[in-house]
Amino acid sequence: MAGNSSRRGAVRKTGTKKGQVAGSGGNRRRGLEGRGATPPAEARTKHPAARRAKLAEKSAQSQGRQGGGRVASRKNDDGPEVVLGRNPVVECLRAGVPATALWVATGTDSDDRLKESVQRAADAGISILEVPRSDLDRLSANGLHQGLALQVPPYRYAHPDDLIGAARSHQEPALLVALDNITDPRNLGAVVRSVAAFGGHGVVIPQRRSASVSAVAWRTSAGAAARLPVARATNLTRTLKDWQTKGVTIVGLDAGGDTTLDDFDGSGPIAIVVGSEGKGLSRLVRENCDHILSIPMAGPVESLNASVAAGVVLADIARQRRL
């Protein structure tokens, strides 16, 4: 009879559903095998960190849109930045932003911006790669990249002590700027440009809750970020205290200061601390300033933009040191 294992010549195959079979069929062995490294929290779709990362990405994309709704750039703090769109890319190349690759999507219609980008990249020795459009689609929101992308490596920050060393190497009194709660990269870029223009020796920013030297900051600095060191401080208050022990006067900028710019002597080593327009200087930073400096204004304007205020003070200190 078919299926009768008792008949002559019949052989019971192991692993069949009929009768008892020794072993687990390899299930236990496979269960003990490793499944590889645990993915980071941001890569697990149901993890809170993944939801926060997704919201942060959407926020960055909405803030970075320029002309025609094009996404300006996408930034990964641990990796290179990708600048997307023809206007942002050509502006970065004009400003001398360091880049490692220019990506042009296959079949992209050419115009003056594309031609200029390719020419500037070639002159700067930047690799020019033709890639499938789908590769750029994955880097942008809804494929809004206009067929052009620029890869910018992470900025190499200096150590705060290096800024003091730079001033001593020039045998000049230190002129430094520290940014407190400045989150707009355009303000950061403008401050870097002013510090370089008026003979400053560097800028320090906090490691957290601060704008970083991104492609936007590079463009705003008009290339000054390549010539002026920018340092990152793990703890800004601790860095300012350390500078005080080295003879640097810490001066905070605030509209309600105890000293006006007209009465301030800027001939010695100075670190100017600039706070945000909304929050101003944080409490701990303010408490550790030697002076709180205000800028006298003739009009009814209550305050200046952070980068403008820094530029006004730097220009006056540079004037004093020329006398």
Side-chain angles (χ1 to χ4, degrees), residues 76-230:
N76 180 354
D77 291 338
D78 297 326
E81 179 180 5
V82 179
V83 181
L84 303 168
R86 301 194 181 191
N87 280 335
V89 167
V90 74
E91 287 171 8
C92 284
L93 292 170
R94 287 171 181 170
V97 174
T100 53
L102 177 69
W103 296 326
V104 182
T106 303
T108 299
D109 295 333
S110 180
D111 64 2
D112 292 340
R113 294 169 298 174
L114 178 60
K115 293 177 181 177
E116 182 180 351
S117 297
V118 172
Q119 185 61 52
R120 287 182 177 273
D123 293 342
I126 299 170
S127 299
I128 303 173
L129 306 173
E130 187 174 10
V131 297
R133 181 170 289 271
S134 58
D135 287 359
L136 298 189
D137 290 342
R138 286 193 291 268
L139 296 173
S140 63
N142 302 321
L144 299 177
H145 48 70
Q146 299 177 299
L148 200 62
L150 187 71
Q151 186 181 52
V152 180
Y155 182 79
R156 294 185 178 181
Y157 293 95
H159 190 277
D161 291 344
D162 297 338
L163 306 187
I164 301 292
R168 289 176 177 172
S169 65
H170 288 85
Q171 298 181 346
E172 298 172 344
L175 180 55
L176 309 170
V177 172
L179 301 183
D180 183 28
N181 292 321
I182 300 295
T183 57
D184 189 341
R186 290 168 295 185
N187 271 336
L188 170 58
V191 168
V192 169
R193 186 175 184 178
S194 294
V195 174
F198 296 115
H201 302 101
V203 175
V204 64
I205 61 175
Q207 191 167 353
R208 296 184 298 169
R209 295 186 294 275
S210 172
S212 59
V213 184
S214 62
V216 175
W218 266 99
R219 291 204 311 270
T220 311
S221 76
R227 303 185 299 273
L228 188 82
V230 178

Side-chain angles (χ1 to χ4, degrees), residues 16-98:
T16 60
K17 295 182 180 179
K18 293 184 179 181
Q20 296 295 327
V21 178
S24 64
N27 290 332
R28 293 178 185 173
R29 177 178 53 78
R30 286 193 296 271
L32 294 174
E33 292 177 354
R35 299 184 180 179
T38 302
E42 293 80 2
R44 286 176 266 167
T45 55
K46 296 184 179 180
H47 196 283
R51 292 194 290 269
R52 289 194 297 268
K54 188 174 182 180
L55 290 174
E57 182 179 352
K58 289 182 178 179
S59 175
Q61 290 172 358
S62 63
Q63 293 176 2
R65 292 183 184 278
Q66 298 182 358
R70 296 305 192 256
V71 178
S73 63
R74 292 180 64 183
K75 180 73 165 60
N76 180 354
D77 291 338
D78 297 326
E81 179 180 5
V82 179
V83 181
L84 303 168
R86 301 194 181 191
N87 280 335
V89 167
V90 74
E91 287 171 8
C92 284
L93 292 170
R94 287 171 181 170
V97 174

